[in-house]
Amino acid sequence: MSKLVAFAAIQGGYKVVSTVEGELRNALDSYDASTKIGFPNTAYYLPVIYSLTGMKCETLEDLQKPMEFAHGLLPPHIKSKNHLPYLGPLLDAGMAAIFAYEVKEALRILREPDFYIAEEDPDLDAGKMWVGPADDTILRKRGVEFVDGSAPGFAAIVGAAPDPEIAKMIVEDYQKKSLYIFCAANHNGRTLIEQCIEAGMQVGWNTRIVPFGPDISSAVFALGFANRAAMAFGNVQPGDHSKMLMYNKDRIFAFVNALGDIGTEWACAAAGCVNWGFPTLADTDIPEILPTGICTYEHVVANVPHDEMCQRSVEVRGLKVTIAEIDIPCSFGPAFEGERVRGADLYAQCGGGKSQCTELAKMADMKEIEDGKVEVVGPELNEVEEGGIFPLGIYVQCAGREFQTDFEPILERQIHHLVNYIQGIMHIGQRDIAWIRVSKAAVDKGFSIKDIGTVIHAKFHQDFKKIIDKVQVTLYTKKDDVDALTKRARAEYKTRDERVENMRDEDVETYYSCTLCQSFAPSHVCSVSPERTGLCGAYNWMDCKASYEINPTGPNQPIEKGECLDPVLGQWKGVNEFIEKASRGTVTHYNFYSMLLDPMTTCGCCECIAAVLPSCNGVMTVHRDYRGETPCGMKFTTLAGVMGGGAASPGFVGHSKFNITQGKFILGDGGLLRMVWMPKSLKEEIKERIDKRGAEMGCPDLYDRIADETVGITEDEILPFLREKEHPAVKMDSIVG
Ligand code: SF4
Ligand code: ZN
């Protein structure tokens, strides 16, 4: 290890601490000492300082203490005879610089409150490129991924690559390994983020390319994020610095890539990161620090070629990532799941109300299918012109000695996230209301419809080894074939739905959870009971039970109901305890049978959204396919946008189509007799079941009394109709209490 690096880092520590001391003095001259400071929407103050020292910085004058502390850490100059040469002082100088950088960022936010956009994605149109420190909502959503292993770690990249192509290559290598890429600092005024944007990449938390800030000081947000995750999910107490740093070393697989010349200010930041066990790999010829002490292997590695940056970093940090090699021209993995395909990027699409897109998974006989056979029946994507719409039927046949028909819905539901894992492809919905958008970038890379089958084949084998021996996929792109598949699929869905038809919630002691949607709606937990199917319509109680059998540690866990706290609204002690844990404290309780009082949370997959109509003393519901206005004043898309993030919103609830006519549907609010408005197409689709359920509730002609868009699309328009038809809701107790 070189005296030179140690010298640069220590010198950097002095320089940074004294600069920030000056900035703080200036701030104290121009603002009142009691002026509030801090990062937005967080309970962790300035998180690095708070987590390591326990100091809670809330005002400008509070910043003096950590600065004094930082100053005290600055080591004396290097002595020549030292056993483990220079590492101790080097680490202290680095830590001092990190503290100072965090104070510097707090001062920036005080001076320029709008510098960062406190959201997941930058707003490039508004010129807001930097997202700054993640707030606690983002922390809860993303931080847990580091703890539960769905994101193995992060690459903190400072500086810029020689050109946008190289930037893209490095970043995509990390994305493929499901790592987050935290970006900060510039090299001669250029930043990696600008290069990514130039190379046509989408940046933001959703694609795991996080634009923290343009200066080296913003690299401190990466460390603050790691420490908050340790406090929030690892139960590390603020101030317990040794446990905090050990936790990071052992649990958070992170490292730094320095792209560009490493001056003193980067050197001290790199030294600071060694305290966390995060090594630095550089693309320039800097003196290396190779003895292994704090980091798992080397501390600083120089001269790493760009095309080896990812591989070397992963090795040096000792990270084990398993990546699925799937033979398609696009990158593939969870990092691409949250990516959107917006209008300007769109090449072609299917489903989403524009054409039919249907998914069906069916069990097959072992002899009947050929494993790995993927066939496109009809035109391929290269025959669809830009801006085009095509129909699609995805028919997956599965066979295996242990396979049962009960597993079909579970495998079918995987299609959603698996298609989303393909870079440049977006998948929404399920069953016969799926919607797939293909980007120009994916088509440029050579993406074809066949690749959907390739992915399904490979991932079904990987993820369901226990039950799958053979998978064959047929992709229909001719309208007649798709319509035939849809007809058949609808009959299958009906049979599946009806398997719970005669079951009552009272009959079982165990419900099931579904947390499949937490990647999009982090605090969302569906609780599925016999009389409340999952709000996407794809999972009922039977399906969840089967899913648990296949994968006992998967997203569907049994919930012991426990003591019934409210039989009318449908609330149980065991369920509450479960959801509190599964939502990581965000949701403490909810009612199964009410949309007014503490309803269940809703995610973006719901088939329908119900809303209270106070003047009509009833409720309405609207399904995804209906694009018009509704009496609650919002279209489906608006409702889904408001509710879809996993929140519970009293007065609204997401639910499946089938659930509308299940026995417990909003029974605590009066049940189906409250339903005063539905789109005509939905009403017709479930007419038979409305008739049956209406009769059970003493209103056999309920169907005729429910208004639809032909009657009106405002409460005022439909109220006379309801009165005239003597809709039962009109005479019920007031819905708003
Ligand atoms: Fe599971 Fe609910 Fe998502 Fe359906 S909507 S996949 S039931 S979490
Ligand atoms: Zn969902």
Side-chain angles (χ1 to χ4, degrees):
M1 120 124 196
S2 144
K3 223 182 226 184
L4 211 70
V5 166
F7 183 75
I10 291 173
Q11 204 192 28
Y14 273 98
K15 185 168 153 198
V16 172
V17 170
S18 60
T19 310
V20 178
E21 282 171 341
E23 285 184 30
L24 180 56
R25 268 196 309 276
N26 282 344
L28 282 162
D29 287 342
S30 27
Y31 298 87
D32 201 82
S34 64
T35 306
K36 288 260 175 280
I37 57 94
F39 295 167
N41 308 323
T42 177
Y44 297 99
Y45 309 95
L46 300 185
V48 172
I49 292 168
Y50 177 56
S51 59
L52 295 175
T53 67
M55 291 177 200
K56 299 177 179 175
C57 296
E58 294 177 274
T59 63
L60 201 51
E61 74 189 327
D62 290 346
L63 296 176
Q64 288 170 320
K65 256 172 71 192
M67 284 313 295
E68 281 161 23
F69 188 86
H71 198 108
L73 280 175
L74 289 173
H77 285 284
I78 298 168
K79 299 186 204 91
S80 51
K81 279 182 258 142
N82 204 329
H83 176 56
L84 180 75
Y86 322 127
L87 203 52
L90 186 76
L91 295 182
D92 287 348
M95 191 59 100
I98 299 287
F99 278 28
Y101 279 147
E102 196 168 48
V103 170
K104 187 181 174 72
E105 285 294 338
L107 293 173
R108 183 207 307 257
I109 290 172
L110 171 68
R111 282 194 315 265
E112 298 172 74
D114 294 329
F115 186 81
Y116 295 118
I117 171 168
E119 284 176 20
E120 289 207 323
D121 296 329
D123 185 347
L124 299 177
D125 298 335
K128 303 261 182 213
M129 190 168 348
W130 306 108
V131 298
D135 68 13
D136 284 357
T137 313
I138 299 175
L139 170 75
R140 269 194 297 275
K141 179 162 164 188
R142 309 286 175 175
V144 70
E145 295 177 11
F146 292 100
V147 181
D148 73 14
S150 45
F154 65 83
I157 308 188
V158 299
D163 63 50
E165 284 314 304
I166 295 175
K168 184 171 179 204
M169 175 189 72
I170 295 174
V171 168
E172 279 189 349
D173 279 350
Y174 289 128
Q175 280 187 303
K176 282 183 208 160
K177 292 192 159 32
S178 307
L179 288 152
Y180 276 87
I181 304 102
F182 290 163
C183 304
N186 65 80
H187 181 242
N188 299 333
R190 283 178 311 157
T191 66
L192 189 77
I193 285 294
E194 285 158 318
Q195 293 179 322
C196 286
I197 295 169
E198 225 181 293
M201 307 180 83
Q202 284 181 27
V203 302
W205 281 95
N206 279 307
T207 50
R208 303 195 177 189
I209 310 169
V210 184
F212 273 144
D215 300 314
I216 184 66
S217 49
S218 32
V220 79
F221 299 145
L223 299 171
F225 186 81
N227 284 13
R228 282 154 71 202
M231 288 186 281
F233 308 113
N235 201 23
V236 180
Q237 295 308 310
D240 189 349
H241 56 89
S242 57
K243 193 158 169 217
M244 174 61 71
L245 296 173
M246 279 310 279
Y247 182 93
N248 275 283
K249 174 179 176 294
D250 295 341
R251 298 282 297 270
I252 309 280
F253 287 93
F255 48 84
V256 181
N257 283 171
L259 305 180
D261 307 322
I262 301 191
T264 51
E265 294 180 9
W266 286 19
C268 59
C273 289
V274 173
N275 286 288
W276 272 255
F278 302 164
T280 293
L281 291 92
D283 64 349
T284 50
D285 186 14
I286 51 151
E288 303 194 338
I289 310 180
L290 299 176
T292 68
I294 314 269
C295 299
T296 313
Y297 300 103
E298 298 89 345
H299 299 134
V300 173
V301 184
N303 264 333
V304 181
H306 293 116
D307 56 356
E308 290 175 24
M309 193 55 96
C310 172
Q311 198 45 46
R312 289 289 298 281
S313 299
V314 163
E315 279 166 25
V316 167
R317 183 65 179 97
L319 189 67
K320 279 187 196 47
V321 252
T322 47
I323 30 159
E325 285 303 341
I326 292 179
D327 188 21
I328 57 170
C330 306
S331 302
F332 181 87
F336 307 107
E337 188 178 6
E339 186 191 48
R340 283 173 287 241
V341 176
R342 300 196 179 85
D345 312 327
L346 181 70
Y347 180 80
Q349 56 182 323
C350 63
K354 297 173 179 69
S355 67
Q356 184 61 43
C357 179
T358 299
E359 302 166 349
L360 180 66
K362 277 299 295 170
M363 176 162 128
D365 192 84
M366 285 279 242
K367 293 190 287 293
E368 187 191 339
I369 59 170
E370 188 186 319
D371 184 43
K373 182 170 171 196
V374 177
E375 200 185 354
V376 178
V377 180
E380 246 299 351
L381 207 51
N382 54 16
E383 295 164 62
V384 179
E385 57 191 38
E386 191 173 325
I389 291 164
F390 58 98
L392 181 65
I394 305 177
Y395 179 45
V396 189
Q397 291 169 283
C398 310
R401 261 176 305 160
E402 309 281 320
F403 202 84
Q404 305 170 20
T405 47
D406 284 356
F407 301 157
E408 291 167 354
I410 295 127
L411 290 162
E412 193 177 290
R413 188 71 179 110
Q414 309 299 316
I415 297 173
H416 172 55
H417 73 262
L418 295 182
V419 173
N420 265 322
Y421 277 11
I422 309 173
Q423 187 180 26
I425 313 295
M426 180 177 178
H427 183 289
I428 301 163
Q430 58 281 322
R431 286 191 165 185
D432 57 344
I433 56 167
W435 181 11
I436 298 177
R437 289 165 69 87
V438 179
S439 69
K440 288 177 193 158
V443 172
D444 286 346
K445 282 194 172 174
F447 174 81
S448 63
I449 291 169
K450 190 170 184 206
D451 295 327
I452 293 177
T454 307
V455 164
I456 292 174
H457 167 259
K459 289 299 286 177
F460 276 18
H461 271 293
Q462 259 174 27
D463 298 349
F464 297 93
K465 281 189 206 79
K466 255 172 64 185
I467 54 164
I468 292 261
D469 293 319
K470 287 182 166 186
V471 184
Q472 176 176 319
V473 186
T474 314
L475 299 142
Y476 297 103
T477 58
K478 283 192 289 210
K479 186 171 182 303
D480 290 350
D481 293 334
V482 176
D483 289 347
L485 182 76
T486 306
K487 191 165 170 231
R488 186 173 156 207
R490 285 185 180 144
E492 292 286 348
Y493 305 151
K494 188 159 180 270
T495 317
R496 287 178 195 167
D497 290 345
E498 284 170 0
R499 287 188 303 153
V500 289
E501 181 79 304
N502 296 319
M503 292 181 66
R504 297 285 160 265
D505 282 1
E506 291 81 3
D507 301 340
V508 299
E509 287 312 312
T510 308
Y511 295 157
Y512 286 91
S513 64
C514 191
T515 49
L516 214 55
C517 285
Q518 285 197 341
S519 53
F520 286 107
S523 53
H524 175 63
V525 188
C526 271
S527 289
V528 179
S529 71
E531 290 179 280
R532 197 181 195 289
T533 54
L535 52 82
C536 57
Y539 271 21
N540 63 34
W541 184 86
M542 283 285 202
D543 302 330
C544 293
K545 183 166 180 279
S547 162
Y548 174 64
E549 277 163 26
I550 306 175
N551 181 4
T553 55
N556 303 106
Q557 293 294 314
I559 311 177
E560 292 307 321
K561 280 156 74 172
E563 185 192 336
C564 182
L565 302 176
D566 192 325
V568 178
L569 298 176
Q571 193 177 133
W572 294 267
K573 197 158 173 253
V575 176
N576 287 349
E577 285 165 5
F578 185 96
I579 55 177
E580 177 157 14
K581 239 170 75 202
S583 70
R584 293 173 282 274
T586 314
V587 186
T588 55
H589 63 286
Y590 55 46
N591 293 318
F592 280 49
Y593 311 148
S594 177
M595 59 184 285
L596 283 169
L597 300 167
D598 299 325
M600 222 180 256
T601 54
T602 294
C603 72
C605 309
C606 52
E607 279 189 305
C608 309
I609 297 177
V612 169
L613 298 179
S615 331
C616 298
N617 204 34
V619 307
M620 57 153 276
T621 193
V622 55
H623 64 312
R624 191 176 290 275
D625 288 346
Y626 174 78
R627 301 174 152 254
E629 296 293 343
T630 78
C632 76
M634 284 179 270
K635 294 182 185 176
F636 182 90
T637 42
T638 315
L639 284 165
V642 176
M643 319 250 324
S649 327
F652 301 90
V653 76
H655 59 86
S656 70
K657 291 180 187 171
F658 185 77
N659 186 233
I660 300 171
T661 50
Q662 285 192 290
K664 296 292 196 298
F665 178 68
I666 59 166
L667 201 58
D669 310 323
L672 186 63
L673 297 181
R674 283 282 188 195
M675 186 63 70
V676 298
W677 189 94
M678 287 164 99
K680 195 162 192 284
S681 53
L682 177 60
K683 214 169 97 174
E684 280 170 2
E685 186 181 330
I686 59 170
K687 174 170 193 307
E688 236 176 87
R689 296 180 48 85
I690 295 178
D691 287 345
K692 185 160 165 260
R693 181 68 192 141
E696 277 168 23
M697 299 186 84
C699 185
D701 61 347
L702 180 64
Y703 180 87
D704 300 319
R705 305 189 196 195
I706 299 175
D708 57 35
E709 69 273 23
T710 63
V711 176
I713 48 164
T714 63
E715 288 200 67
D716 288 346
E717 283 168 6
I718 64 171
L719 193 53
F721 171 91
L722 301 173
R723 291 209 175 108
E724 184 203 312
K725 296 276 177 188
E726 296 182 17
H727 190 292
V730 177
K731 295 206 191 69
M732 287 166 84
D733 291 345
S734 167
I735 190 159
V736 286

